[in-house]
Amino acid sequence: MLVAARGGESQTLVLRGEAGVGKTALLDHLVARAPEMRVMRAVGVESELELPFASLHQMCGALLDHLERIPRPQREALEIVFALRSGPAPDLFLVGLAILSLICDAAEEQPLLCVIDDAQWLDNASARTLAFVARRLLADPVVLVFASRSALKELRGLPEMEVQGLRSGDARALLRSVVRSLLDERLRDRIVAETHGNPLALLELPRGLTATQLAGGFGLLAGQAVSGRIEDSFGRRLKLLPEDSRRLLLLAAAEPLGDPLLLWRAASGAEVPATAAVPAEQEGLVSIGARVTFRHPLVRSAVYRSASTAQRHAAHLALASATDGKADPDRRAWHLAAAASSPDEAVAEELERSAGRAQARGGLAAAAAFLDRSVRLSIDPPRRTERALAAADASLRAGDFDTALGLLATAEANSLSELQRARVDLLRAELAFAQLRGSDAPPLLLRAAKALEPLDPGLARETYLDAWSAALFAGRFAQKGDLLDVSREVRGAPSAPRPARPADLLLDGFALLLTDGRRAATNTLQRAAQGFASEDAAAEEVLRWGWLATIAAVVVWDHDCCVAVASHCVQLARDTGALEVLAVALNIMAQAVALSGEFARASQLISEADAVTEATGARVLPYGAIYVAAYQGREADVAKLVAEIEREATASGQGNALQFTELARAVVANGQGRYQDALGPAWEAIEDMPELVTSMWALSEAIEAAARSGERDMAAQAIERLASRNDASANDWGLGIEARSRALLAEGEHAELLYRDAIERLERTKLRPELARACLLYGEWLRRENRRVDAREQLRRAHEMFSAIGMDLFAERARIELLATGQKVRKRTAETRDELTPQEHQIAVFARDGLSNTEIGGRLFLSPRTVEWHLRKVFSKLDISSRREIGKVLPDAESNLASA
């Protein structure tokens, strides 16, 4: 590993093995072999499992002098985490990206060796952050090694080495080094076998036993794990120490920072003399120097567990008194809670304040833990209930759903006010939506919104909008609480305040759309979408409901507004590090730019979305990917995505996703001219939530498929549905699609006028795929009218547009039609860029567009050096030598949306 790192290649390893097997010794050996590397160490501590970023502070605190050199959003996230500034809780994965940037920047100056011992006791935030970093190190001189007693889900998939016990001969030699008396051979073999060659066990188990006990084997405990036996061995040695020494060791065991000044202050307050350290150090159990270090974590646990409850309370109280309440109020509150032997309202209040500070640093799990302890120490029943609700909310936001449910049960054990009962219902509904985004959530959210109406009208309206979102996700699986149910309830809900926020307009517009129809809803939906597109829109609203506003824009045929809202949402999510929002926003943005034929940029956005979902584990189905794959005619990819989405959507109750699969099938079949095969799925997509955008896109597919299949009545029915969408919001997009659709059923001069009208209208939009399809249909009609020369002009134009934007099935359809007119057209062949992997292509496009390696790394969760490593591979594959040449090989086929 060290050799590879010296050559500029990152290395990660998880050492796994039982306590005492030698993991720490191996880490020490590694550090000793790397004198030229900067060493960063952290040790997980059991008592700090719930303190956010505790281990990260240990390891990365010394790197804060590099903060100014990392991107601003990342820097600000770390400043909040390290309590250097106040601000809203940063996204955990933005913190991970910041730590990655910090480590890689420091490695530019000096190779880094990062060792994390006792990783099984890493706090959740630190574990997830360090695992995130470990998976993204590639081409930086960094070695990252974890040592853990057990397998950790956060570290799953990283390279692993199991550390096993010594071989029999070595184990016997080690045992002889500590047992000078003659051992019965059978007893010696038993000790070696039962310890499995664990070196610490071989060293520690015989200590404190007399020759007689060893000779007969009576001093060895049976039926106990090796770690328990080692801990008991340390316990026996502790009993031989003076009482003051045991009290000093208990203070050290309860204080995980290893701060000797804090230890001596606590010892002084507890009237433990400084001389108490001497026997403990002579016994080799602890070392007190620049830091307080136990010989082994099992010594710490043996000290703490061997103490009585009263002794532990006294130790934590002494540590709380010695801890500076201004400099470290949260650890002081933690010690006070551990010292409390009965409910204590004052301590409960301290914990509540600590929860607020933890949440501000992004430690939602820690906030929940502080509040949970606060609940247990609360005397006043109403305060206890309020704290339980707050803890449940924090657990929900942290993704700890089981804990949240338990805390809700605690809250319900007390009498609840109407508002508290409504909050319980809301939290249960949000839990259902967060876990699956399926059909269970809409009725729960709807009930919560209804209950909140007389108590908190503003929160009620927000909950109604969330219920509408949930019903949209549930789609065909929604039973009680479908879109129409929610919309009807909204019409009777409290009115929006004046002036109405964009979110209020969005809610009212969607409710009108479902209850009173498009004409009644159009003006409100237009204002809502424009409000979300505005730079003055509240960031919180855009991040929470911006994706819904893009639907409103498409419903009223406003493509420019759709792109503006999606771009605003993506940029805000990037700037604030709201990565789960970013995953959704990138999928929406990919569809928005694909509407104008910018499939290369759409693929770039989808790759970024994939990087986000892979990094965060966000449960966002690949809506953008299947939309783009269908219109590009990638049949195999569509089939794979359909299978994936159908499996996930059915399991989670997300019926809306199935509408996308039907649309994709219809588009691919129409692209191949298999009109009969396209008709069924297109009609299925129309009937599923017919008021919304996927059904709108499916209408034009169904019209083309029905007309070309001879199903004129079906085509005419679909055309009338399409025309009804243009009553209130007529513009070139909607009217162009309608004219193209009517032309399919028209004849003679009327058909030609409709085709020309469609082309003229769509030429005034940015919607190149729709324009190209109008040219294709017109060209096909002209050829069947035996007007070959006129047909060639339209078909050639269609073929060129389809080929340029990458709609290969439709390009092939146009090529075949051109051949039928007597025009020869070469078939499109694979290009050099197709040799690039999706990630390499994405990095190449970013580099072509002028992004620096740091900016590209920020988008893709990679270090700048790793980006440079990928670029070298791109240069090799494209046979170029610099970034300036990328544009020659990958020309910018995008139009006016480059800034998106």
Side-chain angles (χ1 to χ4, degrees), residues 91-133:
D91 187 285
L92 181 61
F93 296 99
L94 182 64
V95 175
L97 185 56
I99 293 294
L100 176 65
S101 297
L102 201 65
I103 286 174
C104 293
D105 187 75
E108 291 285 340
E109 293 180 355
Q110 183 181 4
L112 290 184
L113 173 57
C114 310
V115 293
I116 298 96
D117 206 353
D118 283 321
Q120 75 278 355
W121 287 332
L122 286 174
D123 62 276
N124 181 263
S126 293
R128 293 174 66 187
T129 301
L130 291 171
F132 177 96
V133 170

Side-chain angles (χ1 to χ4, degrees), residues 256-541:
L257 290 180
D259 181 354
L261 296 179
L262 177 58
L263 175 62
W264 291 125
R265 284 200 304 272
S268 177
E271 298 182 351
V272 175
T275 55
V278 176
E281 289 186 299
Q282 288 177 340
E283 186 64 21
L285 297 174
V286 72
S287 173
I288 304 176
R291 290 181 60 81
V292 180
T293 308
F294 282 95
R295 180 186 177 188
H296 192 275
L298 287 176
V299 178
R300 182 192 292 274
S301 59
V303 169
Y304 196 78
R305 292 176 187 179
S306 65
S308 67
T309 301
Q311 288 170 333
R312 292 180 200 169
H313 287 167
H316 282 292
L317 187 59
L319 287 165
S321 300
T323 301
D324 188 333
K326 291 183 179 179
D328 200 352
D330 300 335
R331 193 165 268 104
R332 179 177 180 276
W334 199 257
H335 283 307
L336 285 172
S341 57
S342 60
D344 187 321
E345 190 63 34
V347 177
E349 288 181 9
E350 286 281 350
L351 290 166
E352 197 170 13
R353 285 191 285 272
S354 290
R357 288 187 291 268
Q359 195 153 349
R361 294 195 299 273
L364 289 168
F370 278 122
L371 287 166
D372 187 22
R373 289 203 174 195
S374 179
V375 170
R376 284 182 261 164
L377 293 175
S378 297
I379 297 172
D380 182 42
R383 296 291 298 276
R384 175 184 170 87
T385 300
E386 195 62 32
R387 287 163 182 158
L389 288 173
D393 184 70
S395 297
L396 166 62
R397 310 300 164 203
D400 190 351
F401 303 133
D402 290 339
T403 298
L405 285 169
L407 286 160
L408 285 177
T410 299
E412 289 178 301
N414 302 307
S415 60
L416 300 174
S417 67
E418 287 186 58
L419 180 57
Q420 287 172 331
R421 169 53 60 190
R423 286 172 60 196
V424 168
D425 289 344
L426 176 57
L427 284 167
R428 288 195 183 280
E430 289 179 332
L431 275 164
F433 188 46
Q435 286 176 289
L436 290 176
R437 297 199 173 196
S439 56
D440 293 341
L444 294 173
L445 284 163
L446 196 55
R447 187 177 75 182
K450 192 74 176 171
L452 284 164
E453 281 186 21
L455 306 169
D456 190 334
L459 182 56
R461 289 184 62 82
E462 291 180 358
T463 306
Y464 274 124
L465 193 50
D466 286 338
W468 210 92
S469 302
L472 176 62
F473 271 105
R476 67 181 66 174
F477 294 140
Q479 297 171 1
K480 293 181 180 178
D482 63 13
L483 287 175
L484 184 57
D485 291 336
V486 177
S487 299
R488 285 170 175 161
E489 292 292 346
V490 171
R491 296 301 308 280
S495 300
R498 293 289 179 264
R501 300 175 304 161
D504 288 308
L505 293 170
L506 193 63
L507 177 63
D508 291 339
F510 280 138
L512 284 167
L513 178 68
L514 270 289
T515 57
D516 290 21
R518 188 168 304 276
R519 182 179 294 276
T522 294
N523 180 260
T524 306
L525 288 174
Q526 282 176 331
R527 290 166 57 209
Q530 290 163 2
F532 275 94
S534 169
E535 291 299 320
D536 296 329
E540 183 181 350
E541 283 191 48

Side-chain angles (χ1 to χ4, degrees), residues 36-283:
E36 81 286 6
M37 301 182 79
R38 182 174 184 175
V39 178
M40 295 165 27
R41 301 194 77 147
V43 180
V45 179
E46 190 174 9
S47 60
E48 293 215 324
L49 273 171
E50 294 167 317
L51 287 177
F53 302 111
S55 299
L56 209 63
H57 277 253
Q58 287 185 48
M59 195 176 82
C60 296
L63 297 182
L64 295 183
D65 54 335
H66 290 264
L67 269 180
E68 292 301 319
R69 292 159 57 172
I70 67 175
R72 181 180 57 81
Q74 300 175 27
R75 181 175 67 249
E76 291 177 352
L78 277 193
E79 286 173 344
I80 292 170
V81 163
F82 285 99
L84 300 176
R85 62 180 293 172
S86 58
D91 187 285
L92 181 61
F93 296 99
L94 182 64
V95 175
L97 185 56
I99 293 294
L100 176 65
S101 297
L102 201 65
I103 286 174
C104 293
D105 187 75
E108 291 285 340
E109 293 180 355
Q110 183 181 4
L112 290 184
L113 173 57
C114 310
V115 293
I116 298 96
D117 206 353
D118 283 321
Q120 75 278 355
W121 287 332
L122 286 174
D123 62 276
N124 181 263
S126 293
R128 293 174 66 187
T129 301
L130 291 171
F132 177 96
V133 170
R135 289 187 173 89
R136 275 150 193 86
L137 287 167
L138 181 62
D140 298 271
V142 178
V143 174
L144 182 58
V145 184
F146 300 86
S148 178
R149 295 185 195 175
S150 55
L152 293 178
K153 63 178 181 180
E154 291 86 359
L155 305 182
R156 195 175 297 142
L158 294 177
E160 185 176 283
M161 183 174 84
E162 185 176 2
V163 183
Q164 298 179 334
L166 302 174
R167 294 188 181 93
S168 179
D170 292 330
R172 293 181 184 194
L174 185 62
L175 185 59
R176 280 197 301 271
S177 75
V178 290
V179 180
R180 300 298 183 184
S181 58
L182 187 64
L183 271 180
D184 179 89
E185 186 174 343
R186 290 172 299 174
L187 180 58
R188 181 192 58 204
D189 290 344
R190 175 190 165 191
I191 294 172
V192 170
E194 291 188 359
T195 60
H196 303 291
N198 183 300
L200 188 63
L202 290 166
L203 289 170
E204 291 298 330
L205 290 184
R207 288 182 186 267
L209 299 180
T210 66
T212 303
Q213 288 174 316
L214 277 173
F218 303 115
L220 299 171
L221 300 176
Q224 190 177 16
V226 170
S227 60
R229 295 189 192 184
I230 299 171
E231 194 172 311
D232 286 342
S233 171
F234 285 132
R236 289 195 300 272
R237 294 167 65 184
L238 287 169
K239 290 178 181 178
L240 301 175
L241 294 176
E243 182 183 349
D244 284 341
S245 297
R246 294 199 301 271
R247 292 175 63 202
L248 182 67
L249 285 174
L250 178 57
L251 287 170
E255 193 289 294
L257 290 180
D259 181 354
L261 296 179
L262 177 58
L263 175 62
W264 291 125
R265 284 200 304 272
S268 177
E271 298 182 351
V272 175
T275 55
V278 176
E281 289 186 299
Q282 288 177 340
E283 186 64 21

Side-chain angles (χ1 to χ4, degrees), residues 625-634 638 663-665 667-668 809-810:
I626 194 170
Y627 182 92
V628 170
Y631 281 93
Q632 286 197 297
R634 292 185 275 114
V638 169
L663 173 66
R665 286 192 178 104
V667 171
V668 169
L809 287 182
F810 286 94

